[in-house]
Structure formats: C-alpha cells, structure tokens
Amino acid sequence: MLYDNVMVPFDGSESAVAALAEAARFAKEDPGLTLRIVQIIDTNKLVINRLEAQNIVDSAVPEGMRKAFEEVTAEANRHLHRQIDGMLGGLMNKIVIELLEETHPGSQIVSYAEECNCDLIVMGSRGLGAFRGILGSVSSHVLREAPIPVLVVKE
C-alpha cells in the first residue's frame, strides 16, 4: 500500500470530478485504502440566499436560521451524493464523506488532512470560481502549505 488515507476535496467542478476519478482508481487497486471526500460549502451565503428567496427579513429568528441551515446542508449533501455515488460504485474501501462549512477552503483542506492523518490529497487543478487555464487559488494554497503529497489532477 502506497497510501492508506486519501483526501479528495470536492466542489463539483470538472477538475474535482477528474480528481475523484483518479482517487477512485487508487482505491480500486487497494481495498485497504480509506477515501475521504470532503465538500466545503459557504453555509452562511446559502442560508442568507434561502432566507432572502423566502422573503424572510427577520433573520435574527433562531428557528428560521436553524431551519434554513438544516435545509441548505441537507440539499448540499443530496447534491454531493448525486454527483459522486456513481463514481464510487463497486469500491470495497472505507469511504468517508463530509461536508464542512467554508471559512478558508485552502486552509481547511490542509487542516482536515492533518487532523485525519491523510497521507495524500488528490484535488482538481481549478475549482468552480477559477479562471480557465490558471491553477486555482485553493489548489495553489494547498500545494504550498500541505505537509503531505498533493496530486493535482487536470480534467
């Protein structure tokens, strides 16, 4: 086993899909490998958008905030599974899927990898917000800061 615990940050971009496909290939070759798929979402932005769409102006109401948070988190989780479940079919590996609230994605990826004792990060070269043809700022940050190997996959 070359790697035991592989992290794949996933944002739904074509690059992230290519990275997950590469990590799944590693996993197929080594059933003992743990695959950690992590999606980082901006829950604050999503909750605000949800409340505005529902025309709820008093966002200080804790019940409304809590309900909106639960709804956007559940939606993000369903959407993530729709995107990745087909790619994971047939894998016999331990698969951990986590949703994290965004603060600073690059730093969060590095911290998560350290906290979970990952020995490889497989990520896309560009996320959803990056300019085409340029290494994304998140992947660039992870390459600079991660104390473990980082495999950057192009789609």
Side-chain angles (χ1 to χ4, degrees):
M1 286 196 282
L2 187 55
Y3 299 107
D4 296 318
N5 196 7
V6 176
M7 176 189 185
V8 182
F10 191 85
D11 66 359
S13 66
E14 290 178 22
S15 258
V17 169
L20 182 56
E22 185 67 16
R25 189 177 65 80
F26 287 167
K28 272 186 186 158
E29 293 173 7
D30 182 1
L33 179 146
T34 297
L35 191 57
R36 295 180 175 276
I37 302 163
V38 178
Q39 183 176 38
I40 301 172
I41 62 169
D42 188 345
T43 51
N44 289 336
K45 180 180 175 185
L46 293 172
V47 166
I48 289 167
N49 290 346
R50 164 81 39 127
L51 294 172
E52 287 175 349
Q54 295 173 349
N55 204 22
I56 299 174
V57 285
D58 188 7
S59 60
V61 178
E63 300 81 36
M65 292 290 286
R66 183 187 47 75
K67 183 179 178 201
F69 176 81
E70 290 171 359
E71 288 172 353
V72 299
T73 303
E75 276 179 29
N77 192 39
R78 283 191 300 274
H79 182 68
L80 175 62
H81 279 277
R82 278 193 303 273
Q83 290 180 298
I84 68 172
D85 285 350
M87 298 176 71
L88 304 175
L91 291 180
M92 304 302 289
N93 307 73
K94 177 180 178 185
I95 299 173
V96 177
I97 300 171
E98 295 198 56
L99 195 63
L100 303 177
E101 290 183 57
E102 178 184 6
T103 53
H104 301 287
S107 298
Q108 282 178 280
I109 291 167
V110 172
S111 294
Y112 181 92
E114 290 175 333
E115 290 167 13
C116 295
N117 297 314
C118 295
D119 47 16
L120 175 67
I121 299 170
V122 180
M123 65 186 303
S125 58
R126 294 183 304 276
L128 291 174
F131 295 106
R132 281 192 110 17
I134 301 173
L135 187 64
S137 61
V138 173
S139 44
S140 187
H141 177 89
V142 173
L143 279 168
R144 282 191 318 274
E145 301 298 325
I148 61 173
V150 178
L151 173 61
V152 178
V153 179
K154 293 172 30 175
E155 76 269 4

